[in-house]
Amino acid sequence: MTNPHALHNPLHIASAYLSAWNELDAVRRRTMIAAVFTADAAYADPMACSAGHEALDGMIGAVQQQFEGLRFRLHGKQDGHHDVVRFSWALAADGAEPVAYGTDVALIAEDGRIRSVTGFLDVMAP
Amino acid sequence: MTNPHALHNPLHIASAYLSAWNELDAVRRRTMIAAVFTADAAYADPMACSAGHEALDGMIGAVQQQFEGLRFRLHGKQDGHHDVVRFSWALAADGAEPVAYGTDVALIAEDGRIRSVTGFLDVMAP
């Protein structure tokens, strides 16, 4: 996927990224992961780390099982500069209060895909 | 400087980093920069980017001139995981309300020094 404009659109990047996290259909999710992440993209948050489409897909599938019925949504504003974007998210069941909030920092490759994500937890429900 | 514990001490790393930003004595600042950053460390925020001790020192000196009389201080909490730390700061004159708040994400090398910083502005006074 070549998308030279994505670098300047943190909202677009963040939305596509969270859509991949929320996609429950395995085939569609895999396609979205390939569209969103470079082949060797790396991910790290306080609880997990992985690299490459297959490992990312496995990690996202495991998180979906762990937090069944919950979905990620954008929270607050997105920003970015140079080759980096920052955005915050909430994890919640439809119509319910979020159980967690976090902020992710993503490095963007020249083709507009994410080459690394560093995730942080901002608030976790007790 | 070998400091294997720094990786697990975001407060220590953030404090040493902001101290370098606040150091007005050119010789001391250069020493602090060498202690805090790896030789090829890179920095990028919405307004500037630089890499290596000499360029970092020049950038910090220029920011000190631009915001004369203001100092960076820690704001809120620090966190970290794997090889990354996150912390927020405020920029203010002594005893005055901050003129800006930001959040920095730093990658830490094995020797405990910072190998890259990605900075974001959270609030800028109008």
Side-chain angles (χ1 to χ4, degrees):
Chain A
M1 188 185 76
T2 301
N3 186 350
H5 302 296
L7 180 55
H8 306 293
N9 194 333
L11 172 60
H12 171 91
I13 292 170
S15 298
Y17 169 79
L18 293 183
S19 293
W21 275 92
N22 288 332
E23 180 55 62
L24 298 176
D25 180 273
V27 174
R28 280 203 298 267
R29 187 176 67 226
R30 192 59 189 264
T31 301
M32 294 164 80
I33 285 171
V36 166
F37 294 99
T38 60
D40 58 350
Y43 176 94
D45 72 18
M47 292 150 299
C49 64
S50 60
H53 289 169
E54 190 169 337
L56 289 164
D57 185 53
M59 179 186 71
I60 290 172
V63 170
Q64 288 177 349
Q65 290 194 322
Q66 185 182 353
F67 298 102
E68 198 177 345
L70 306 184
R71 291 171 60 83
F72 291 96
R73 63 170 188 250
L74 286 170
H75 176 73
K77 59 182 182 177
Q78 305 80 45
D79 61 353
H81 61 82
H82 298 87
D83 61 347
V84 65
V85 299
R86 176 176 68 156
F87 52 90
S88 296
W89 48 261
L91 176 65
D94 285 345
E97 285 296 301
V99 300
Y101 296 89
T103 297
D104 288 4
V105 174
L107 291 177
I108 311 303
E110 287 191 3
D111 68 0
R113 292 187 296 175
I114 292 171
R115 64 184 177 91
S116 83
V117 174
T118 304
F120 299 93
L121 274 174
D122 294 326
V123 182
M124 194 83 167
Chain B
M1 188 185 75
T2 302
N3 186 350
H5 303 295
L7 179 56
H8 306 293
N9 195 333
L11 172 59
H12 171 90
I13 292 170
S15 298
Y17 169 79
L18 293 184
S19 292
W21 274 93
N22 288 330
E23 179 56 59
L24 298 176
D25 180 273
V27 175
R28 280 202 299 267
R29 187 176 68 226
R30 192 61 189 264
T31 301
M32 294 163 80
I33 286 171
V36 167
F37 293 99
T38 61
D40 58 351
Y43 176 94
D45 72 19
M47 292 151 299
C49 64
S50 61
H53 290 170
E54 190 170 338
L56 289 164
D57 185 53
M59 179 187 71
I60 290 172
V63 170
Q64 288 176 349
Q65 290 193 323
Q66 185 182 353
F67 297 103
E68 198 178 345
L70 306 183
R71 292 170 60 82
F72 292 96
R73 62 169 189 249
L74 287 169
H75 176 74
K77 59 182 182 178
Q78 305 80 46
D79 63 353
H81 62 82
H82 298 86
D83 60 348
V84 65
V85 298
R86 176 176 68 157
F87 53 89
S88 296
W89 49 261
L91 177 64
D94 285 345
E97 284 296 303
V99 300
Y101 296 89
T103 297
D104 288 3
V105 173
L107 291 177
I108 311 302
E110 287 192 3
D111 68 1
R113 292 187 295 175
I114 292 171
R115 64 184 177 90
S116 82
V117 174
T118 304
F120 299 94
L121 274 174
D122 294 324
V123 181
M124 194 82 168

